[in-house]
Amino acid sequence: MQKGFLSQYFEKVAIKRLTAVEVNTAISNQHELNGSKSLKTLFGNERVSYQSKFLWLAGESEGISCEGHLTWYDAREAHPTRSEYRLYFKSNEIMDQARESDMLIIAKRQNGEFYIIIVPYGSTLENQLLWLFGIEQVGYSFNLQAIENGHNPEVNFAVRYILEELDIEIEETDSGYLDEILEPFFSTGFPNTSVFSQLARQTMREVSSRDEPDETLLKWIEHEEKLFKRLEHHIVSQRLQAGFCTDGDTDVEGFIKFSLSVQNRRKSRIGYALEHHLEEIFKVHELRYSRTAVTENKSKPDFLFPDIKSYKDMTYPESRLTMLGVKSTCKDRWRQVLSEANRINKKHLFTLEPGISENQTDEMQAKHLQLVLPKRLHETYKSTQQSWLMDLKTFIQLANKRQKLMF
């Protein structure tokens, strides 16, 4: 196990597509998967049972999880010469969601816990997980992948992103250094998002937003994410230690309100951080822009180049206008950008989401939407997609070229 690499979180994974007999209750109600060489390597030759975590991941706000049991056993244990291993599970809401050709992952954690993950066929999450575990093709029989001596990527932004989709807590190795930076906020709480983003930039050394805008942006985002999680840990711990009681009674509503505030802050913070860091990079490159200026139908594009005044000037050439929407994750929300800045036919959308499905990117191209993301994240996409993707440096060059045409 290597600290800071995927093997810190997973030991082995077995991946396959589900067949009709495994998921269609009209055909079979067995709640079992036939044993295979891959599963024997994963579970061994003895009868064992595990308390496991089941996850169904289908997209934004569609992930659900539950606890359940797995039993690995030989159905012909009493037979002197034959064996027939099976993996049994009880019916649960996760397995009930599964459909034929969905991807099944049986993942063994380093602590011995098993994750059973179901992902819809052809989805973005399927792409992301195949990239994470270094598997190019998946069929209807199990493909076993050992992590330690195989595909074992470092836990960088893309790996961290996917692990968090699996509800896995990332262990930080530099908590002492982070505490030194955050100490002034332990008693005052979270500063506003622009101040926090500025703190992340000021404490991330050896980066150049002018020479390497793509890598610099990712490093700023990664650093701010670590700072945020560390400060959140301190603030939430203090609040939980104080308890939720009013006049001797448990304050259930107070706890729920506090819990929702934590979740809402997590959801909104990354989007603001991304916009703040992009704006800083645009300033360094001396780009003219308007941020969240109002266009048609009260829409507010995240960035308009060169500015809103030029956009509203009907004599200003449309070919010199550029719009950049910003969404930390696209999911199904990328279509919202299409209705913004009607004068601009080909729109640009910046995201940090790795491995978006080909179905989604094909639709983006058909809708004249160009996806922009940091160069390092391009590798999480299929080779057929990569030639179409745009990185931040190329986008800056495009906006800069159109800006210089003004003079």
Side-chain angles (χ1 to χ4, degrees), residues 89-115:
F89 54 89
K90 290 184 178 180
S91 177
N92 61 55
E93 59 182 322
I94 306 304
M95 299 306 294
D96 290 346
Q97 297 282 347
R99 298 292 181 266
E100 183 180 359
S101 295
D102 285 353
M103 190 169 73
L104 166 69
I105 301 176
I106 302 176
K108 185 179 182 182
R109 300 287 309 276
Q110 286 290 358
N111 60 6
E113 182 183 11
F114 279 89
Y115 272 37

Side-chain angles (χ1 to χ4, degrees), residues 185 191-200 202 276:
F185 303 104
N192 66 47
T193 59
S194 61
V195 171
F196 204 73
S197 294
Q198 184 178 36
L199 175 69
Q202 290 173 342
H276 295 325

Side-chain angles (χ1 to χ4, degrees), residues 27-87:
I27 299 175
S28 172
N29 244 338
Q30 61 184 8
H31 302 304
E32 288 184 328
L33 300 171
N34 289 331
S36 64
K37 184 178 179 180
S38 294
L39 291 188
K40 277 189 178 182
T41 303
L42 203 58
F43 292 103
N45 294 319
E46 303 296 325
R47 183 186 181 96
V48 288
S49 292
Y50 295 94
Q51 180 73 13
S52 305
K53 185 169 185 177
F54 289 74
L55 299 98
W56 183 70
L57 304 173
E60 188 172 18
S61 303
E62 292 188 80
I64 56 176
S65 65
C66 71
E67 299 295 319
H69 276 90
L70 290 178
T71 300
W72 173 251
Y73 73 103
D74 183 359
R76 295 185 178 270
E77 187 175 9
H79 198 283
T81 59
R82 289 187 61 189
S83 62
E84 188 177 310
Y85 284 92
R86 296 175 182 172
L87 184 64

Side-chain angles (χ1 to χ4, degrees), residues 192-198 201 217 220-221 224 268-283 289 291 303 326:
N192 66 47
T193 59
S194 61
V195 171
F196 204 73
S197 294
Q198 184 178 36
R201 292 194 295 269
L217 177 69
W220 282 346
I221 289 289
E224 181 167 349
S268 63
R269 179 203 55 82
I270 182 67
Y272 287 120
L274 180 56
E275 291 178 25
H276 295 325
H277 295 316
L278 282 171
E279 184 170 31
E280 179 65 20
I281 289 173
F282 294 153
K283 287 178 179 177
Y289 63 88
R291 185 173 173 183
F303 291 95
V326 179

